[in-house]
Amino acid sequence: MKRIIKKVAVLGSGVMGSRIACHFAGAGIPVLLLDMAAEGKDRNKIVNDALTAAAKSNPSPLYTPDIVKRITTGNFDDHLKDISTCDWVIEVVVERLDIKRQLFDKVEQFRKPGSLITSNTSGIPIHLMAEGRSEDFKKHFCGTHFFNPPRYLRLLEIIPTKETDIEVVHFLMEYGDLILGKTTVLCKDTPAFIANRIGVYSIMSIFSLVDKLGLTIDEVEALTGPIIGRPKSATFRTADVVGIDTLVKVANGVYDNCPDDEAKQIFKTPEWLNKITANNWLGDKTGQGFFKKVKTDKGSEILTLDLKSFEYKPRVKPKFASVEAAKPIEDLASRIRMLVAGKDKAGDFLKQFHYGLFSYISHRIPEISDELYRVDDAMKAGFGWEIGAFETWDLLGVAKTTEAVKAAGLSVAPWVEEMIAAGHPSFYKVENGKTLFYDITSKGYLPIPGGNAFIILKNYSDKIVWKNSSCKLYDIGDDVLALQWNTKMGTIGGDVLSGIQTSIEKAEKDFKGLVIANDGANFSAGANIGMIFMLAVEQEYDELDFAIRAFQNAMMRVRYSSIPVVLAPHGLALGGGCELSLHSDKICAAAETYTGLVELGVGVIPGGGGSKEFALRAADEMHSGEPENITLQNRFLTIATAKVATSAYEAFNLGMYRKGLDEVVINQDRRVAEAKRSVIDLYDGGYTMPVQRTDIKVLGRSALGALLAGIHAMEQGQYATEHDAKVARKLAYVMCGGDLSEPTLVSEQYLLNLEREAFLSLCGERKTLERLQSVIKTGKPIRN
């Protein structure tokens, strides 16, 4: 049957329920959000307060503020009958089986036959909730475990019972992927499912190593965060955010309900952890946990708990020789290999941690999943690991590491030994750009289901058409090329600009078009600030002028080529990364794309065509019957205040993306494939090279005067520093087309020249150099 979700009911408006409702609304689905009736006149007070708090929270669960209008609120007493209008009912009440069952009794009275009914639980067995329900209820009932916060953590675990209709399972897997943008992972109905089973094991095993190796919290945080491809919250900070009581609850659940788990003792909470929970030091929810924020004379300071004295002390930045040596290595796989091979305390810790992890995951197949790739998918999407556990085992060498695991006194599951003995050297391999995984049932490699919808650029390493020290150009099939670069934060320097020019040249000669994207954490944080700073400090203005021209020329080449150029940004797309987007033929952006022209923060104006492009778009947006400078003023303020779109949807509202042309891909794993499809569609639709514009209406003095007056007012009101105002005046001059006596039609090159001259002059300012230096040293500009 064809199933369409026109409306969703979310039962329970707590932290998870309200944010799940916001995520569905963000995907365009009307939501009915219900909770208990409040005493007094406003019976919806509980649910309304919860939704208001969610909408105001940071980071926001909403792609744009107006999305909340898609959510209707109500209470269980007066409005539960309204779930009869919904196609999917999601229960998100307190984690107690008796309360859930009581609610399901009432749900059965009102839900329409055939509608989906799911429970968002992190630990209660799904089959227990379905007991005693009607046949139709059981057929359409499933566990759907969203991770918090649902907008940002991409994992959705699907946990069917034996009675769940297979069509329901297939639908939820596909719907979660396509509509909700999730990595949907099919789980067995085992304690803690997949992600929490492995994730909590990892945390508890680290806790045991703290005692064994005498490590401090600060040392563990330094070793289990970004250095090994894990989130900044590392281990102890993650526990504080999630809630230490929640962590202990999951650990106790596994300890009590998994008698055959060979690592069961790892889940036994250490004495110091019991003391922390007894003290009610549960993390962020109680104001202190492993860390505590205190006010000082200088503002505030984060203190770390000493697990021996149980006193909070100033954080100590640990130094390990192996970590210091590994930090400069950009490639994560190479960095992990080096760290695990370390001969110091850090290397010893990472060896023991990984050996224990590898042993544990091997024994969980097929207990928690028949397919090993689901474990990696769950950990990457739910816990933010850049590389999955089996993938890490692969990169360290399966056979060699297996021997090391056994030498450390641990065991691996027999199927791993059989795999190695049969001559299969890895858990994954790539063929024709697609990832295959080792299947323990067939004892061979199978393609990951649905893999055709995803394009992972590194899988095309045997299809490299051209490369330089920063860039790789891949043939991704169907006469389409894809360019990616591997620089810190995706910064754009000379090598990348050369890569863009060369890629377009090769695409024009032999291919239908070009996709620009990457597999890293971010698309691009902008131009290479270090290079600009170096040239400016040394007053190499001819070199700087050449560099800016090269950037502008590359952007214009993206706009004016004989083939379509489609961008697939994600993560940060700032400064030069935003300018590149502005000049593309089309953008297929991940929903979680944060884009903006932020150059004023570092004391310059957008110099790679961004100022020009905003002036051009302002001119095109002028309507008869309204003041001509309104659209220009809005565009100017967007740059002058360094506004950043906090989602791809917001980028449309800020005029960075074009309505009716650019698109949002809610599942970022699909964006490269969507960009490739767009290239083919544009080419097959008869793509022709655009003609450079010479008809851009700039307003000259009439608009410049108004903008300068506004800048003066901002400076006088102390909303802008003196240098902010100086930079803003340069921007206003460029966007108005200079000091022209009347509105005039100008060319793109005319505006590019003004933009470049303004950028150059600002690079000679001492305060601009101070800002650039601050960004290089600390990652943040100073306000001077």
Side-chain angles (χ1 to χ4, degrees):
M1 83 182 258
K2 183 179 180 182
R3 186 178 291 277
I4 299 173
I5 304 297
K6 296 179 182 177
K7 189 177 181 182
V8 169
V10 177
L11 310 183
S13 65
V15 171
M16 278 304 295
S18 58
R19 284 155 179 79
I20 289 173
C22 288
H23 191 65
F24 271 93
I29 313 299
V31 179
L32 173 65
L33 179 63
L34 305 180
D35 211 317
M36 292 184 296
E39 306 245 342
K41 290 183 180 179
D42 184 5
R43 290 169 63 78
N44 292 343
K45 181 173 172 34
I46 293 172
V47 66
N48 288 339
D49 286 353
L51 184 57
T52 299
K56 290 181 178 178
S57 63
N58 186 26
S60 175
L62 301 163
Y63 291 126
T64 58
D66 60 332
I67 282 170
V68 77
K69 294 174 184 174
R70 294 189 187 131
I71 302 173
T72 304
T73 57
N75 64 77
F76 292 150
D77 292 351
D78 303 327
H79 305 103
L80 196 60
K81 64 182 186 304
D82 295 338
I83 68 171
S84 63
T85 65
C86 300
D87 306 293
W88 183 353
V89 179
I90 306 175
E91 169 273 308
V92 202
V93 297
V94 66
E95 285 281 84
R96 274 180 50 185
L97 180 58
D98 58 333
I99 292 176
K100 290 179 185 288
R101 279 179 165 167
Q102 289 168 20
L103 182 58
F104 289 145
D105 285 341
K106 296 174 183 176
V107 167
E108 282 247 54
Q109 298 173 35
F110 300 114
R111 65 172 280 270
K112 64 182 175 184
S115 62
L116 300 175
I117 172 75
T118 70
S119 173
N120 185 76
T121 177
S122 59
I124 296 176
I126 305 301
H127 67 275
L128 293 181
M129 287 187 267
E131 284 181 358
R133 306 261 68 96
S134 68
E135 186 179 344
D136 186 78
F137 187 107
K138 288 180 178 179
K139 278 178 60 179
H140 297 93
F141 181 68
C142 195
T144 47
H145 182 208
F146 289 83
F147 272 56
N148 189 35
R151 173 182 163 184
Y152 300 97
L153 285 183
R154 298 179 55 227
L155 178 61
L156 173 57
E157 291 182 316
I158 307 294
I159 314 103
T161 69
K162 291 178 181 177
E163 286 87 8
T164 308
D165 192 314
I166 193 65
E167 175 270 326
V168 169
V169 177
H170 290 324
F171 175 82
L172 289 170
M173 291 288 290
E174 184 175 43
Y175 190 90
D177 166 11
L178 288 173
I179 308 301
L180 300 178
K182 297 296 182 183
T183 297
T184 49
V185 174
L186 185 63
C187 301
K188 293 185 178 183
D189 194 4
T190 53
F193 312 133
I194 294 178
N196 279 340
R197 182 75 174 271
I198 305 300
V200 173
Y201 164 82
S202 297
I203 293 173
M204 297 303 290
S205 70
I206 288 169
F207 287 175
S208 70
L209 287 172
V210 165
D211 293 334
K212 183 179 177 182
L213 300 177
L215 292 161
T216 67
I217 287 176
D218 287 331
E219 286 176 327
V220 170
E221 297 301 87
L223 296 173
T224 58
I227 193 76
I228 61 166
R230 306 285 168 81
K232 287 181 181 178
S233 55
T235 301
F236 288 95
R237 180 71 190 120
T238 295
D240 272 4
V241 171
V242 170
I244 295 170
D245 55 334
T246 303
L247 173 68
V248 169
K249 185 178 178 182
V250 176
N252 288 339
V254 175
Y255 185 82
D256 293 339
N257 298 304
C258 298
D260 298 327
D261 190 317
E262 77 294 337
K264 177 182 172 180
Q265 291 305 313
I266 288 288
F267 291 90
K268 190 170 184 179
T269 52
E271 201 51 48
W272 51 262
L273 185 57
N274 293 332
K275 187 174 178 180
I276 287 171
T277 52
N279 288 349
N280 204 40
W281 297 351
L282 306 180
D284 289 3
K285 66 175 77 174
T286 58
Q288 67 189 94
F290 294 115
F291 299 97
K292 182 180 181 180
K293 188 184 236 183
V294 296
K295 290 184 178 178
T296 65
D297 296 339
K298 297 178 181 177
S300 62
E301 183 183 1
I302 305 290
L303 302 180
T304 306
L305 182 66
D306 184 317
L307 295 175
K308 292 179 179 175
S309 68
F310 263 69
E311 295 175 352
Y312 287 94
K313 298 178 179 180
R315 299 197 72 172
V316 177
K317 192 173 183 180
K319 285 206 168 184
F320 299 106
S322 61
V323 172
E324 294 305 310
K327 274 181 181 176
I329 299 173
E330 286 291 326
D331 179 62
L332 179 57
S334 302
R335 191 162 70 237
I336 290 174
R337 287 190 198 100
M338 184 174 183
L339 286 165
V340 173
K343 302 296 185 186
D344 57 358
K345 190 177 182 181
D348 193 22
F349 166 78
L350 289 171
K351 276 189 200 67
Q352 292 192 45
F353 166 67
H354 280 101
Y355 294 168
L357 176 64
F358 297 157
S359 170
Y360 194 71
I361 58 175
S362 74
H363 288 292
R364 301 288 73 76
I365 307 295
E367 180 200 345
I368 64 174
S369 173
D370 292 326
E371 299 88 7
L372 61 87
Y373 74 87
R374 298 191 194 279
V375 171
D376 282 354
D377 281 353
M379 297 317 297
K380 288 188 288 185
F383 278 78
W385 293 11
E386 286 185 46
I387 297 181
F390 283 105
E391 290 172 338
T392 306
W393 199 345
D394 265 358
L395 69 89
L396 292 175
V398 176
K400 179 179 74 172
T401 308
T402 296
E403 292 308 309
V405 169
K406 292 192 289 187
L410 298 166
S411 66
V412 297
W415 68 265
V416 177
E417 306 258 31
E418 291 170 10
M419 182 188 89
I420 296 168
H424 300 304
S426 61
F427 299 110
Y428 298 98
K429 67 178 182 178
V430 175
E431 287 183 0
N432 300 317
K434 302 303 174 191
T435 303
L436 309 180
F437 73 97
Y438 179 77
D439 176 58
I440 68 167
T441 303
S442 65
K443 303 187 188 307
Y445 291 91
L446 297 176
I448 293 176
N452 290 333
F454 308 121
I455 293 176
I456 301 169
L457 294 177
K458 67 181 180 182
N459 286 356
Y460 289 82
S461 296
D462 59 338
K463 302 282 176 125
I464 295 175
V465 174
W466 173 89
K467 66 178 180 178
N468 64 17
S469 59
S470 298
C471 303
K472 288 179 181 174
L473 182 64
Y474 303 94
D475 180 347
I476 56 173
D478 300 313
D479 295 325
V480 178
L481 292 177
L483 172 69
Q484 81 162 345
W485 50 86
N486 178 32
T487 57
K488 188 172 184 178
M489 298 289 286
T491 51
I492 302 172
D495 272 359
V496 174
L497 297 175
S498 170
I500 292 169
Q501 294 273 18
T502 302
S503 299
I504 292 173
E505 180 184 325
K506 290 188 177 295
E508 286 180 325
K509 186 177 179 185
D510 296 312
F511 295 84
K512 289 183 176 180
L514 174 69
V515 170
I516 300 179
N518 70 52
D519 292 331
N522 295 293
F523 176 66
S524 174
N528 186 332
I529 295 289
M531 179 194 72
I532 294 169
F533 177 73
M534 182 185 70
L535 294 174
V537 164
E538 295 179 0
Q539 298 185 10
E540 296 282 358
Y541 292 114
D542 287 343
E543 286 289 320
L544 195 52
D545 180 69
F546 179 81
I548 301 165
R549 286 177 190 270
F551 208 111
Q552 290 182 339
N553 290 342
M555 300 304 104
M556 292 294 277
R557 187 85 167 95
V558 169
R559 168 63 53 81
Y560 299 110
S561 62
S562 61
I563 45 92
V565 178
V566 178
L567 255 67
H570 71 292
L572 298 181
L574 303 174
C578 180
E579 289 176 308
L580 185 56
S581 300
L582 293 172
H583 289 83
S584 65
D585 289 298
K586 183 175 179 179
I587 299 165
C588 292
E592 297 303 334
T593 302
Y594 314 105
T595 191
L597 298 167
V598 296
E599 286 84 351
L600 266 78
V602 294
V604 293
I605 70 167
S611 303
K612 175 271 298 182
E613 188 62 21
F614 260 42
L616 184 157
R617 293 188 182 190
D620 288 348
E621 289 159 0
M622 291 176 188
H623 301 295
S624 59
E626 65 179 37
E628 288 185 317
N629 65 340
I630 291 294
T631 57
L632 178 68
Q633 183 175 308
N634 291 338
R635 290 278 182 179
F636 166 80
L637 284 171
T638 298
I639 301 178
T641 56
K643 282 185 182 174
V644 174
T646 57
S647 72
Y649 294 99
E650 195 176 355
F652 287 99
N653 297 339
L654 293 179
M656 293 156 191
Y657 295 168
R658 299 153 292 189
K659 292 176 181 176
L661 176 60
D662 299 327
E663 67 177 272
V664 178
V665 184
I666 198 164
N667 187 337
Q668 75 172 40
D669 290 341
R670 290 179 171 269
R671 67 198 153 76
V672 179
E674 285 298 308
K676 175 184 172 182
R677 180 188 55 75
S678 293
V679 164
I680 294 169
D681 288 348
L682 286 167
Y683 179 88
D684 291 347
Y687 181 86
T688 55
M689 185 168 74
V691 177
Q692 284 202 33
R693 297 282 297 275
T694 57
D695 60 344
I696 305 162
K697 186 177 184 179
V698 292
L699 302 179
R701 288 178 194 167
S702 61
L704 185 57
L707 292 181
L708 294 179
I711 294 166
H712 179 71
M714 292 287 285
E715 186 179 7
Q716 292 300 302
Q718 297 188 335
Y719 295 107
T721 67
E722 180 184 352
H723 194 57
D724 290 334
K726 178 177 280 190
V727 181
R729 284 192 287 270
K730 293 278 189 182
L731 174 66
Y733 184 84
V734 172
M735 293 188 70
C736 292
D739 189 21
L740 299 172
S741 58
E742 61 183 18
T744 308
L745 298 181
V746 300
S747 67
E748 287 184 78
Q749 192 58 53
Y750 172 87
L751 289 171
L752 286 171
N753 292 341
L754 288 181
E755 178 185 276
R756 189 178 69 256
E757 291 160 9
F759 189 98
L760 272 171
S761 68
L762 287 166
C763 285
E765 296 282 343
R766 178 179 59 83
K767 289 188 176 181
T768 291
L769 295 179
E770 288 172 357
R771 292 187 182 189
L772 290 169
Q773 187 175 37
S774 175
V775 171
I776 294 167
K777 283 187 173 180
T778 69
K780 296 178 181 178
I782 54 171
R783 288 294 306 282
N784 56 0

